[in-house]
Amino acid sequence: MTLRRTDVLAALKGSGADGISGETLARELGISRAAVAKHVTALRERGYGIAANVGVGYVLESVPDLPLVDEVVPLLASALWVRIEGKDETGSTNDDAKALARSGTPEGTAVLAARQTAGRGRLGRAWESPSGGVYVSVVLRPDAPLAELTPLPLVVSIGVARGLESLGFSAGLKWPNDVWIGDGKVAGILLETSAEADRAEWVVAGAGINVHRPQEPVPGAAYLDDGPASSGLPSPGLARVAAAVLDGISSAYAEFGVAGFGGLVGEYEEHSVLAGRSVTVRDRSGSMLAQGAVEGIDPYGRLLVEQEGIVAAIAAGDVTLRPPETEAKGA
Ligand code: BT5
């Protein structure tokens, strides 16, 4: 959104139910009345409800429930976020953030979208990205050897979980990169990195968060809308979710920078939905890496699975929970 449009919006918000005349707006912002009218039209096109009342002027009546930059930025507490781009629709915010990263955008750049047409998960899988969710990708430039960055997806997951907890939700973590609410996946995280020699040039971390339950929900998915009913909280708007998640990522990333994953592994384990569970872990081709009981996570972010008295430390893979009856039989 252009600066002037942002200024018009801020003035409308500031005037509240009293409203503000086009003439006053034009004078205060040093622009023509025609320019004011143009910005008001553009804001309406973005979903803002703005009435034009005779004798009063413009009155802001409603703000759209969208992760718009102008709604998210005022809610952010962290100073990490120096540049935020917003889109109604895009292919993948990870692709947009990667393009910005390649062109030298600073650490702390974020790209937000209200929906994606080609949202991606890991290993070429799709991420369903209809309206009603938050899709955000951030550019990080960690100053560390690549080998130390393997736990970064777990760090970002902790950040997303912190964000959701700050809104009153109880979030669980499923290794390596899922955030759960109850029995379902509410958010997924996708990291993509470019390295030179053994140092990361940039890392793009994308998170998709399900907020409003769509008409065709993804099987096995959770939506934040489902959570508050039991907790008595109102469903948060998309801008609040986006800001909370960005601030959560920033806080976990800052701690990772100071103390490494060793400082966060306890928090990961406390939230792990896999603790003590019987699981099967497969690699990208579907071959089984391990089957057994989850012992925990090590300080490198690897999943520890005990099978027949031997503990395997697994750096990457897909985990399926074995049904409780299988666990009981195996026990
Ligand atoms: C992930 O992959 O969970 C990473 C998802 C990352 C999405 C964000 S959105 C912003 C940024 N831009 C992108 O293009 N991507 C990132 P993975 O662990 O591979 O899980 C993918 C699987 O989750 C799919 O195969 C489905 O089974 C399931 N799935 C797809 N859409 C879902 C949704 N909206 N909610 C829950 N599960 C979903």
mmCIF file of all heavy atoms in Angstrom, residues 194-226:
data_model
loop_
_atom_site.group_PDB
_atom_site.id
_atom_site.type_symbol
_atom_site.label_atom_id
_atom_site.label_comp_id
_atom_site.label_asym_id
_atom_site.label_seq_id
_atom_site.Cartn_x
_atom_site.Cartn_y
_atom_site.Cartn_z
ATOM 1 N N SER A 194 19.845 -20.877 0.536
ATOM 2 C CA SER A 194 20.897 -20.796 -0.471
ATOM 3 C C SER A 194 22.209 -20.599 0.270
ATOM 4 O O SER A 194 22.307 -19.765 1.170
ATOM 5 C CB SER A 194 20.646 -19.602 -1.391
ATOM 6 O OG SER A 194 21.799 -19.332 -2.137
ATOM 7 N N ALA A 195 23.204 -21.401 -0.097
ATOM 8 C CA ALA A 195 24.468 -21.346 0.638
ATOM 9 C C ALA A 195 25.633 -21.073 -0.302
ATOM 10 O O ALA A 195 25.589 -21.404 -1.484
ATOM 11 C CB ALA A 195 24.688 -22.658 1.362
ATOM 12 N N GLU A 196 26.639 -20.451 0.257
ATOM 13 C CA GLU A 196 27.880 -20.285 -0.476
ATOM 14 C C GLU A 196 28.981 -20.825 0.409
ATOM 15 O O GLU A 196 29.043 -20.464 1.587
ATOM 16 C CB GLU A 196 28.116 -18.819 -0.798
ATOM 17 C CG GLU A 196 28.321 -18.629 -2.280
ATOM 18 C CD GLU A 196 28.559 -17.211 -2.654
ATOM 19 O OE1 GLU A 196 29.640 -16.696 -2.364
ATOM 20 O OE2 GLU A 196 27.617 -16.631 -3.228
ATOM 21 N N ALA A 197 29.845 -21.675 -0.174
ATOM 22 C CA ALA A 197 30.806 -22.422 0.633
ATOM 23 C C ALA A 197 30.008 -23.091 1.752
ATOM 24 O O ALA A 197 28.992 -23.703 1.507
ATOM 25 C CB ALA A 197 31.913 -21.519 1.151
ATOM 26 N N ASP A 198 30.368 -22.912 3.001
ATOM 27 C CA ASP A 198 29.586 -23.603 4.031
ATOM 28 C C ASP A 198 28.740 -22.623 4.840
ATOM 29 O O ASP A 198 28.334 -22.905 5.945
ATOM 30 C CB ASP A 198 30.512 -24.413 4.950
ATOM 31 C CG ASP A 198 31.278 -23.508 5.890
ATOM 32 O OD1 ASP A 198 31.520 -22.347 5.489
ATOM 33 O OD2 ASP A 198 31.610 -23.925 7.012
ATOM 34 N N ARG A 199 28.459 -21.431 4.268
ATOM 35 C CA ARG A 199 27.639 -20.455 5.003
ATOM 36 C C ARG A 199 26.342 -20.195 4.257
ATOM 37 O O ARG A 199 26.315 -20.187 3.029
ATOM 38 C CB ARG A 199 28.387 -19.128 5.201
ATOM 39 C CG ARG A 199 29.782 -19.337 5.650
ATOM 40 C CD ARG A 199 30.325 -18.540 6.765
ATOM 41 N NE ARG A 199 29.615 -17.948 7.837
ATOM 42 C CZ ARG A 199 29.868 -18.239 9.110
ATOM 43 N NH1 ARG A 199 30.687 -19.212 9.432
ATOM 44 N NH2 ARG A 199 29.279 -17.568 10.063
ATOM 45 N N ALA A 200 25.297 -19.971 5.027
ATOM 46 C CA ALA A 200 24.006 -19.662 4.406
ATOM 47 C C ALA A 200 24.035 -18.227 3.905
ATOM 48 O O ALA A 200 24.460 -17.327 4.620
ATOM 49 C CB ALA A 200 22.883 -19.834 5.413
ATOM 50 N N GLU A 201 23.621 -18.060 2.650
ATOM 51 C CA GLU A 201 23.510 -16.709 2.107
ATOM 52 C C GLU A 201 22.177 -16.121 2.578
ATOM 53 O O GLU A 201 22.087 -15.003 3.021
ATOM 54 C CB GLU A 201 23.498 -16.848 0.595
ATOM 55 C CG GLU A 201 24.117 -15.717 -0.170
ATOM 56 C CD GLU A 201 23.919 -15.988 -1.652
ATOM 57 O OE1 GLU A 201 23.763 -17.164 -2.044
ATOM 58 O OE2 GLU A 201 23.874 -15.017 -2.388
ATOM 59 N N TRP A 202 21.130 -16.950 2.463
ATOM 60 C CA TRP A 202 19.824 -16.578 2.994
ATOM 61 C C TRP A 202 19.039 -17.837 3.304
ATOM 62 O O TRP A 202 19.305 -18.910 2.756
ATOM 63 C CB TRP A 202 19.031 -15.688 2.032
ATOM 64 C CG TRP A 202 18.947 -16.143 0.602
ATOM 65 C CD1 TRP A 202 19.656 -15.642 -0.456
ATOM 66 C CD2 TRP A 202 18.108 -17.187 0.046
ATOM 67 N NE1 TRP A 202 19.316 -16.299 -1.617
ATOM 68 C CE2 TRP A 202 18.360 -17.246 -1.343
ATOM 69 C CE3 TRP A 202 17.173 -18.062 0.580
ATOM 70 C CZ2 TRP A 202 17.733 -18.150 -2.197
ATOM 71 C CZ3 TRP A 202 16.530 -18.969 -0.263
ATOM 72 C CH2 TRP A 202 16.808 -19.010 -1.635
ATOM 73 N N VAL A 203 18.087 -17.671 4.189
ATOM 74 C CA VAL A 203 17.119 -18.728 4.483
ATOM 75 C C VAL A 203 15.743 -18.094 4.318
ATOM 76 O O VAL A 203 15.509 -16.992 4.819
ATOM 77 C CB VAL A 203 17.251 -19.246 5.933
ATOM 78 C CG1 VAL A 203 16.148 -20.248 6.258
ATOM 79 C CG2 VAL A 203 18.619 -19.858 6.171
ATOM 80 N N VAL A 204 14.874 -18.767 3.577
ATOM 81 C CA VAL A 204 13.478 -18.327 3.519
ATOM 82 C C VAL A 204 12.662 -19.342 4.309
ATOM 83 O O VAL A 204 12.725 -20.547 4.045
ATOM 84 C CB VAL A 204 12.981 -18.214 2.063
ATOM 85 C CG1 VAL A 204 11.461 -18.152 2.011
ATOM 86 C CG2 VAL A 204 13.575 -16.963 1.409
ATOM 87 N N ALA A 205 11.959 -18.856 5.311
ATOM 88 C CA ALA A 205 11.106 -19.723 6.129
ATOM 89 C C ALA A 205 9.663 -19.322 5.881
ATOM 90 O O ALA A 205 9.279 -18.171 6.114
ATOM 91 C CB ALA A 205 11.443 -19.574 7.611
ATOM 92 N N GLY A 206 8.872 -20.270 5.377
ATOM 93 C CA GLY A 206 7.463 -19.994 5.097
ATOM 94 C C GLY A 206 6.583 -20.738 6.078
ATOM 95 O O GLY A 206 6.885 -21.874 6.456
ATOM 96 N N ALA A 207 5.505 -20.097 6.467
ATOM 97 C CA ALA A 207 4.547 -20.759 7.365
ATOM 98 C C ALA A 207 3.139 -20.542 6.817
ATOM 99 O O ALA A 207 2.777 -19.436 6.426
ATOM 100 C CB ALA A 207 4.652 -20.194 8.779
ATOM 101 N N GLY A 208 2.382 -21.615 6.784
ATOM 102 C CA GLY A 208 0.967 -21.529 6.425
ATOM 103 C C GLY A 208 0.160 -21.863 7.671
ATOM 104 O O GLY A 208 0.417 -22.896 8.302
ATOM 105 N N ILE A 209 -0.753 -20.989 8.050
ATOM 106 C CA ILE A 209 -1.528 -21.206 9.273
ATOM 107 C C ILE A 209 -3.015 -21.238 8.907
ATOM 108 O O ILE A 209 -3.533 -20.290 8.306
ATOM 109 C CB ILE A 209 -1.259 -20.084 10.320
ATOM 110 C CG1 ILE A 209 0.236 -20.002 10.632
ATOM 111 C CG2 ILE A 209 -2.022 -20.349 11.623
ATOM 112 C CD1 ILE A 209 0.939 -18.846 10.012
ATOM 113 N N ASN A 210 -3.683 -22.318 9.275
ATOM 114 C CA ASN A 210 -5.127 -22.443 9.016
ATOM 115 C C ASN A 210 -5.881 -21.679 10.096
ATOM 116 O O ASN A 210 -5.724 -21.983 11.278
ATOM 117 C CB ASN A 210 -5.566 -23.905 9.085
ATOM 118 C CG ASN A 210 -4.874 -24.774 8.049
ATOM 119 O OD1 ASN A 210 -4.551 -24.304 6.959
ATOM 120 N ND2 ASN A 210 -4.648 -26.031 8.386
ATOM 121 N N VAL A 211 -6.699 -20.732 9.691
ATOM 122 C CA VAL A 211 -7.435 -19.946 10.687
ATOM 123 C C VAL A 211 -8.944 -20.223 10.576
ATOM 124 O O VAL A 211 -9.530 -20.844 11.451
ATOM 125 C CB VAL A 211 -7.127 -18.440 10.549
ATOM 126 C CG1 VAL A 211 -7.872 -17.655 11.628
ATOM 127 C CG2 VAL A 211 -5.625 -18.196 10.652
ATOM 128 N N HIS A 212 -9.553 -19.776 9.483
ATOM 129 C CA HIS A 212 -10.999 -19.987 9.326
ATOM 130 C C HIS A 212 -11.236 -21.306 8.573
ATOM 131 O O HIS A 212 -10.553 -21.586 7.581
ATOM 132 C CB HIS A 212 -11.630 -18.817 8.574
ATOM 133 C CG HIS A 212 -11.417 -17.497 9.269
ATOM 134 N ND1 HIS A 212 -11.603 -17.356 10.625
ATOM 135 C CD2 HIS A 212 -11.015 -16.287 8.816
ATOM 136 C CE1 HIS A 212 -11.341 -16.094 10.967
ATOM 137 N NE2 HIS A 212 -10.976 -15.432 9.885
ATOM 138 N N ARG A 213 -12.169 -22.074 9.052
ATOM 139 C CA ARG A 213 -12.448 -23.386 8.441
ATOM 140 C C ARG A 213 -13.087 -23.164 7.067
ATOM 141 O O ARG A 213 -14.139 -22.525 6.971
ATOM 142 C CB ARG A 213 -13.371 -24.184 9.362
ATOM 143 C CG ARG A 213 -13.757 -25.545 8.854
ATOM 144 C CD ARG A 213 -14.430 -26.357 9.949
ATOM 145 N NE ARG A 213 -13.434 -27.029 10.770
ATOM 146 C CZ ARG A 213 -12.888 -28.218 10.475
ATOM 147 N NH1 ARG A 213 -13.241 -28.857 9.371
ATOM 148 N NH2 ARG A 213 -11.987 -28.760 11.263
ATOM 149 N N PRO A 214 -12.446 -23.659 5.993
ATOM 150 C CA PRO A 214 -13.026 -23.453 4.660
ATOM 151 C C PRO A 214 -14.163 -24.436 4.395
ATOM 152 O O PRO A 214 -14.371 -25.368 5.168
ATOM 153 C CB PRO A 214 -11.850 -23.739 3.720
ATOM 154 C CG PRO A 214 -10.971 -24.670 4.476
ATOM 155 C CD PRO A 214 -11.191 -24.410 5.940
ATOM 156 N N GLN A 215 -14.863 -24.216 3.270
ATOM 157 C CA GLN A 215 -15.974 -25.125 2.933
ATOM 158 C C GLN A 215 -15.478 -26.536 2.720
ATOM 159 O O GLN A 215 -16.164 -27.501 3.045
ATOM 160 C CB GLN A 215 -16.685 -24.618 1.686
ATOM 161 C CG GLN A 215 -17.671 -23.516 2.043
ATOM 162 C CD GLN A 215 -18.588 -23.190 0.902
ATOM 163 O OE1 GLN A 215 -18.213 -23.362 -0.259
ATOM 164 N NE2 GLN A 215 -19.768 -22.699 1.220
ATOM 165 N N GLU A 216 -14.264 -26.635 2.134
ATOM 166 C CA GLU A 216 -13.709 -27.978 1.932
ATOM 167 C C GLU A 216 -12.431 -28.104 2.739
ATOM 168 O O GLU A 216 -11.333 -27.845 2.234
ATOM 169 C CB GLU A 216 -13.413 -28.200 0.450
ATOM 170 C CG GLU A 216 -14.666 -28.320 -0.375
ATOM 171 C CD GLU A 216 -14.370 -28.453 -1.863
ATOM 172 O OE1 GLU A 216 -13.281 -28.947 -2.231
ATOM 173 O OE2 GLU A 216 -15.225 -28.023 -2.635
ATOM 174 N N PRO A 217 -12.551 -28.480 4.004
ATOM 175 C CA PRO A 217 -11.360 -28.549 4.847
ATOM 176 C C PRO A 217 -10.406 -29.659 4.389
ATOM 177 O O PRO A 217 -10.831 -30.633 3.767
ATOM 178 C CB PRO A 217 -11.911 -28.873 6.236
ATOM 179 C CG PRO A 217 -13.391 -28.833 6.141
ATOM 180 C CD PRO A 217 -13.770 -28.882 4.706
ATOM 181 N N VAL A 218 -9.132 -29.478 4.694
ATOM 182 C CA VAL A 218 -8.134 -30.499 4.363
ATOM 183 C C VAL A 218 -8.284 -31.640 5.382
ATOM 184 O O VAL A 218 -8.325 -31.375 6.587
ATOM 185 C CB VAL A 218 -6.715 -29.888 4.456
ATOM 186 C CG1 VAL A 218 -5.647 -30.945 4.173
ATOM 187 C CG2 VAL A 218 -6.577 -28.702 3.517
ATOM 188 N N PRO A 219 -8.365 -32.889 4.913
ATOM 189 C CA PRO A 219 -8.484 -33.992 5.875
ATOM 190 C C PRO A 219 -7.319 -33.981 6.864
ATOM 191 O O PRO A 219 -6.167 -33.803 6.458
ATOM 192 C CB PRO A 219 -8.430 -35.246 4.988
ATOM 193 C CG PRO A 219 -8.807 -34.774 3.613
ATOM 194 C CD PRO A 219 -8.353 -33.349 3.515
ATOM 195 N N GLY A 220 -7.627 -34.107 8.115
ATOM 196 C CA GLY A 220 -6.571 -34.160 9.138
ATOM 197 C C GLY A 220 -6.072 -32.793 9.582
ATOM 198 O O GLY A 220 -5.217 -32.699 10.452
ATOM 199 N N ALA A 221 -6.632 -31.735 8.996
ATOM 200 C CA ALA A 221 -6.170 -30.391 9.360
ATOM 201 C C ALA A 221 -6.971 -29.841 10.534
ATOM 202 O O ALA A 221 -8.122 -30.216 10.742
ATOM 203 C CB ALA A 221 -6.303 -29.449 8.170
ATOM 204 N N ALA A 222 -6.336 -28.957 11.291
ATOM 205 C CA ALA A 222 -7.044 -28.211 12.339
ATOM 206 C C ALA A 222 -7.114 -26.750 11.903
ATOM 207 O O ALA A 222 -6.284 -26.286 11.122
ATOM 208 C CB ALA A 222 -6.289 -28.325 13.662
ATOM 209 N N TYR A 223 -8.111 -26.050 12.408
ATOM 210 C CA TYR A 223 -8.297 -24.631 12.096
ATOM 211 C C TYR A 223 -8.440 -23.875 13.408
ATOM 212 O O TYR A 223 -9.098 -24.375 14.337
ATOM 213 C CB TYR A 223 -9.546 -24.450 11.200
ATOM 214 C CG TYR A 223 -9.337 -25.110 9.846
ATOM 215 C CD1 TYR A 223 -9.561 -26.477 9.680
ATOM 216 C CD2 TYR A 223 -8.823 -24.386 8.773
ATOM 217 C CE1 TYR A 223 -9.305 -27.105 8.461
ATOM 218 C CE2 TYR A 223 -8.568 -25.005 7.550
ATOM 219 C CZ TYR A 223 -8.812 -26.369 7.407
ATOM 220 O OH TYR A 223 -8.540 -26.975 6.210
ATOM 221 N N LEU A 224 -7.827 -22.702 13.480
ATOM 222 C CA LEU A 224 -7.900 -21.951 14.738
ATOM 223 C C LEU A 224 -9.345 -21.688 15.150
ATOM 224 O O LEU A 224 -9.655 -21.630 16.331
ATOM 225 C CB LEU A 224 -7.136 -20.629 14.640
ATOM 226 C CG LEU A 224 -5.612 -20.722 14.512
ATOM 227 C CD1 LEU A 224 -4.997 -19.325 14.522
ATOM 228 C CD2 LEU A 224 -5.010 -21.566 15.616
ATOM 229 N N ASP A 225 -10.235 -21.543 14.154
ATOM 230 C CA ASP A 225 -11.655 -21.345 14.455
ATOM 231 C C ASP A 225 -12.197 -22.428 15.388
ATOM 232 O O ASP A 225 -13.108 -22.176 16.163
ATOM 233 C CB ASP A 225 -12.477 -21.450 13.161
ATOM 234 C CG ASP A 225 -12.574 -20.130 12.443
ATOM 235 O OD1 ASP A 225 -12.113 -19.130 13.004
ATOM 236 O OD2 ASP A 225 -13.115 -20.105 11.321
ATOM 237 N N ASP A 226 -11.660 -23.636 15.259
ATOM 238 C CA ASP A 226 -12.179 -24.757 16.054
ATOM 239 C C ASP A 226 -11.745 -24.656 17.508
ATOM 240 O O ASP A 226 -12.406 -25.184 18.389
ATOM 241 C CB ASP A 226 -11.667 -26.110 15.526
ATOM 242 C CG ASP A 226 -11.967 -26.285 14.058
ATOM 243 O OD1 ASP A 226 -12.911 -25.631 13.581
ATOM 244 O OD2 ASP A 226 -11.246 -27.057 13.398
#
